[in-house]
Amino acid sequence: MMRWYSRRFSRTVCLWLAFISVTLHLLLVALSPFVYQSSCKPPTSRQTHPYTLRALAYTNDTSTGSDSHASHANQAKMPPDARKVDPSKMDTTRHHKITKMDATKMSTEIGNGPSSPVNMGDRIGRSGSMGSGLSKLDALFSHPLYDVPTLPIPEEDWLMRIKPKVTSGRNPSGKDAPRTTSDSQPPWLRFHLGISRRQLYPHRDPNMPSLIQQLSKHRIVSAVQKSGGTQLKLVMSFPNYGQAMLKPMKQERDEESNFNLYYFSDFERHNAEIAAFHLDRVLGYRRIPPAVGRLVDVVKEIKDITTDHRLAKTFFTSPVGNVCFYGQCSYYCSTEHAVCGRPHELEASLAVMLPDPSLAKRHSWRSPWRRSYSRSKVAAWETDSQYCDTVKKTAPYDKGTRLVDLIDLTILDFLMGNMDRHHYETFEKFGNNTFLLHLDNGRAFGRHSKDEPSILAPLEQCCRIRRSTLSRLRLLSLPQYRLSDVMRESLSHDPLFSVAPLLSEPHLLALDRRLNVVLQTVRDCQRRQRSRRGEGSDVIYDDINDYKKSVTPVTPAG
């Protein structure tokens, strides 16, 4: 009897548990429509503060950079980003937005701080896409260190003025018209009108695709030799009155300069002019006129249309049927060093010409670190350890930004291996308060197997560098923005990429190696400053803080 009651009690308990379970399931089913129909508002996104670039740039300037070696060791594991981008979409990608919190975290990572750059690369993604599908180059140009909020440019800070149209029956006011450009203006004119006190062209220049298209595709109506210089250069003209400087192919891309050849006797390279423009843009300088590669027909686009009788006399046909010419110049203008097509096609670089000096005068400055250009003598800076102290007391390096401007140029030259920087130019209109023009880069990228430390003498002796420049260099040392990768991608936009890469892989890898040398030189400067004065802050010229003050609106009192 007891066993029967126990069995009945157990059955009753099981039935009750089953009833409760079914009831709960029915209740959940009844409530589920109300849950799904309720509105879910996404959290309000925070606006990116326009001055997060300062947070990104303010890094641990006294770090030893131990993490950078770990980052460099991991570079070989990351495949190069081979994503192809349509050249017509250059500088037209949408801006990549990051929150202020992300910017603060990244500022530590850029400066070799506690967060490892390798960990940052894993967080963002091995493809370097910043989690938004952007290529490395697009992600770099969307970074706040490049996408800097811009100030309105006063009319006096434009290189060229726009005169108002005079209508019949009315007298012009005499004032300049509002600065506007339209598609009806040729690309070369829009480029000239976009030159300001700060740069040759803006970061996201909508005119760049049209300008590149003109240089690489438009019909050439005139070709004459440019006077002066040590090697052959031609001035090419287009139907819309635009002009470009042509430098022909002299040697193969992977051919290194002869080690026994002095730098002032080296060949100029067409691909070096193109690569210099891309590197200048990747560094955020924008001080080299746009240059593009082009296959030129030696007969139809030079010989048949030239009005230069001196040039016309130098054309001949080689024993294998190639059309050649050599022009007249100081070096390498002879039949032994002729420029030849294959049989008619010739690779060349075309760089857009700057405004004529009659419209915008330029001042040529002798570089204080100019080489002796002698086979037996050395320059003063090569033997005087206190040479920079003398330079700092000499105008225009005694005030303003001229010294750090020159060091920007020094870093560019070291990365390219360019020893031939005897002069630089500025636009006279802007006086001493303007950027330096980084012109004539044909002797760059001659050697990839050897670095030339003497090029860095201005940085090493003066121990001075812009904070914005240093921050971008640190950014380019990270795996997801690696300098060699973004340069490879940027150069793949050039028309000559379909023939062969503009820079060989050894040259691209040399960029990463030399970038580490620059960063190490800055760290050495900081150590020396701390040992002498107990601090290392004098090495950094804080242009970012100065820029922030200039764009921060002043709140009126009361």
Side-chain angles (χ1 to χ4, degrees):
M1 182 65 68
M2 291 295 294
R3 187 177 301 170
W4 181 82
Y5 277 114
S6 176
R7 198 178 295 125
R8 184 176 180 183
F9 178 76
S10 299
R11 189 180 301 118
T12 303
V13 170
C14 289
L15 288 173
W16 272 105
L17 289 174
F19 175 76
I20 293 171
S21 177
V22 170
T23 303
L24 289 174
H25 277 81
L26 291 174
L27 183 62
L28 288 173
V29 170
L31 292 175
S32 61
F34 298 99
V35 174
Y36 288 123
Q37 292 174 10
S38 62
S39 61
C40 287
K41 295 182 180 180
T44 305
S45 61
R46 291 173 291 182
Q47 294 292 328
T48 304
H49 196 278
Y51 312 122
T52 52
L53 64 102
R54 188 186 179 198
L56 285 160
Y58 269 77
T59 58
N60 183 8
D61 294 326
T62 60
S63 63
T64 60
S66 58
D67 289 337
S68 65
H69 299 291
S71 172
H72 187 64
N74 282 271
Q75 291 179 359
K77 300 179 183 178
M78 297 184 63
D81 189 351
R83 180 176 180 265
K84 299 294 178 64
V85 181
D86 188 345
S88 65
K89 297 180 180 179
M90 290 176 65
D91 284 334
T92 57
T93 55
R94 296 186 62 183
H95 294 196
H96 175 67
K97 301 297 183 182
I98 64 172
T99 64
K100 190 173 182 180
M101 182 181 295
D102 291 334
T104 305
K105 291 170 68 178
M106 289 172 69
S107 67
T108 307
E109 291 157 340
I110 291 172
N112 299 325
S115 300
S116 168
V118 177
N119 294 334
M120 182 183 181
D122 293 336
R123 175 171 61 83
I124 292 177
R126 305 298 284 183
S127 65
S129 64
M130 300 292 286
S132 62
L134 296 177
S135 69
K136 284 189 177 183
L137 183 65
D138 291 336
L140 178 75
F141 286 160
S142 299
H143 194 281
L145 285 174
Y146 288 79
D147 244 348
V148 179
T150 57
L151 284 169
I153 301 178
E155 189 61 33
E156 60 270 17
D157 281 359
W158 294 104
L159 179 65
M160 300 181 68
R161 290 172 170 254
I162 301 178
K163 296 297 181 182
K165 294 181 179 179
V166 180
T167 57
S168 58
R170 293 184 181 179
N171 293 324
S173 63
K175 295 182 179 179
D176 292 324
R179 181 161 294 273
T180 58
T181 58
S182 66
D183 293 338
S184 62
Q185 296 169 334
W188 65 266
L189 179 57
R190 296 202 297 270
F191 167 69
H192 288 179
L193 294 175
I195 299 174
S196 70
R197 182 186 296 273
R198 305 170 192 162
Q199 58 194 4
L200 280 176
Y201 56 91
H203 171 51
R204 295 187 181 274
D205 186 2
N207 182 51
M208 189 62 68
S210 300
L211 187 59
I212 296 297
Q213 179 76 7
Q214 170 179 304
L215 295 172
S216 60
K217 297 293 184 182
H218 281 206
R219 182 169 60 92
I220 297 172
V221 297
S222 173
V224 296
Q225 185 171 347
K226 186 180 186 301
S227 60
T230 60
Q231 299 187 40
L232 179 65
K233 298 183 286 290
L234 303 180
V235 177
M236 317 299 280
S237 300
F238 302 106
N240 60 9
Y241 304 104
Q243 290 186 322
M245 178 80 72
L246 179 144
K247 289 192 178 182
M249 180 177 182
K250 284 278 191 178
Q251 57 188 17
E252 300 297 330
R253 291 166 171 73
D254 56 354
E255 184 179 349
E256 277 200 286
S257 297
N258 188 328
F259 284 91
N260 292 315
L261 194 67
Y262 284 94
Y263 51 88
F264 49 84
S265 300
D266 196 8
F267 285 118
E268 290 190 350
R269 299 165 191 80
H270 72 302
N271 62 313
E273 292 287 356
I274 302 166
F277 158 63
H278 285 261
L279 179 59
D280 177 85
R281 184 166 164 261
V282 163
L283 293 176
Y285 292 160
R286 298 184 292 279
R287 300 164 196 169
I288 293 180
V292 65
R294 176 167 177 161
L295 285 174
V296 177
D297 190 307
V298 174
V299 176
K300 295 180 179 178
E301 296 181 310
I302 300 179
K303 181 181 178 181
D304 290 351
I305 63 174
T306 186
T307 57
D308 189 334
H309 299 297
R310 296 183 308 157
L311 177 64
K313 291 178 181 178
T314 65
F315 280 86
F316 65 94
T317 302
S318 73
V320 295
N322 293 333
V323 180
C324 307
F325 65 101
Y326 53 87
Q328 296 182 10
C329 60
S330 303
Y331 285 89
Y332 305 127
C333 282
S334 63
T335 54
E336 293 80 10
H337 301 98
V339 174
C340 298
R342 298 181 181 177
H344 292 175
E345 280 191 338
L346 171 67
E347 281 192 33
S349 66
L350 270 77
V352 63
M353 298 283 282
L354 292 172
D356 190 271
S358 63
L359 300 174
K361 291 182 180 180
R362 300 197 297 271
H363 185 84
S364 180
W365 303 82
R366 181 178 173 135
S367 172
W369 282 269
R370 181 183 185 271
R371 298 176 185 275
S372 67
Y373 285 81
S374 168
R375 294 177 176 86
S376 57
K377 298 179 181 179
V378 295
W381 58 267
E382 296 182 80
T383 57
D384 184 0
S385 60
Q386 305 299 319
Y387 181 78
C388 186
D389 293 338
T390 303
V391 174
K392 289 178 179 178
K393 299 174 184 177
T394 307
Y397 307 97
D398 56 344
K399 57 184 177 181
T401 62
R402 181 59 62 89
L403 182 61
V404 288
D405 290 336
L406 185 62
I407 289 175
D408 279 349
L409 179 55
T410 294
I411 292 169
L412 173 72
D413 283 336
F414 177 74
L415 293 175
M416 300 189 299
N418 180 26
M419 300 172 67
D420 187 37
R421 188 70 67 184
H422 44 84
H423 287 77
Y424 61 86
E425 295 184 19
T426 59
F427 289 110
E428 278 193 4
K429 176 182 178 179
F430 302 134
N432 294 335
N433 185 21
T434 186
F435 66 94
L436 312 186
L437 290 164
H438 299 172
L439 306 177
D440 199 9
N441 304 285
R443 287 197 174 109
F445 296 105
R447 296 172 186 165
H448 53 72
S449 57
K450 181 181 183 298
D451 301 340
E452 184 51 58
S454 64
I455 301 176
L456 276 183
L459 173 61
E460 189 173 9
Q461 294 177 359
C462 298
C463 280
R464 195 75 166 147
I465 188 174
R466 271 192 170 91
R467 185 179 293 278
S468 60
T469 299
L470 179 58
S471 299
R472 287 192 294 266
L473 292 176
R474 284 171 170 165
L475 191 70
L476 289 164
S477 70
L478 298 177
Q480 63 275 17
Y481 300 107
R482 189 186 302 125
L483 178 56
S484 59
D485 288 344
V486 295
M487 273 294 289
R488 185 185 296 106
E489 182 185 345
S490 184
L491 290 169
S492 71
H493 298 151
D494 190 88
L496 282 185
F497 180 77
S498 60
V499 178
L502 270 297
L503 287 181
S504 63
E505 282 300 308
H507 277 297
L508 290 170
L509 297 179
L511 289 173
D512 295 330
R513 182 181 70 244
R514 291 166 183 169
L515 175 57
N516 287 333
V517 173
V518 175
L519 294 176
Q520 184 60 50
T521 301
V522 175
R523 289 192 287 267
D524 292 342
C525 281
Q526 291 174 318
R527 289 195 198 97
R528 290 203 301 269
Q529 291 282 48
R530 287 196 301 272
S531 64
R532 294 172 185 172
R533 306 177 187 178
E535 59 180 48
S537 59
D538 288 346
V539 175
I540 310 299
Y541 170 68
D542 196 356
D543 60 323
I544 290 183
N545 189 40
D546 291 345
Y547 185 83
K548 178 181 179 293
K549 290 177 181 177
S550 65
V551 297
T552 303
V554 178
T555 305

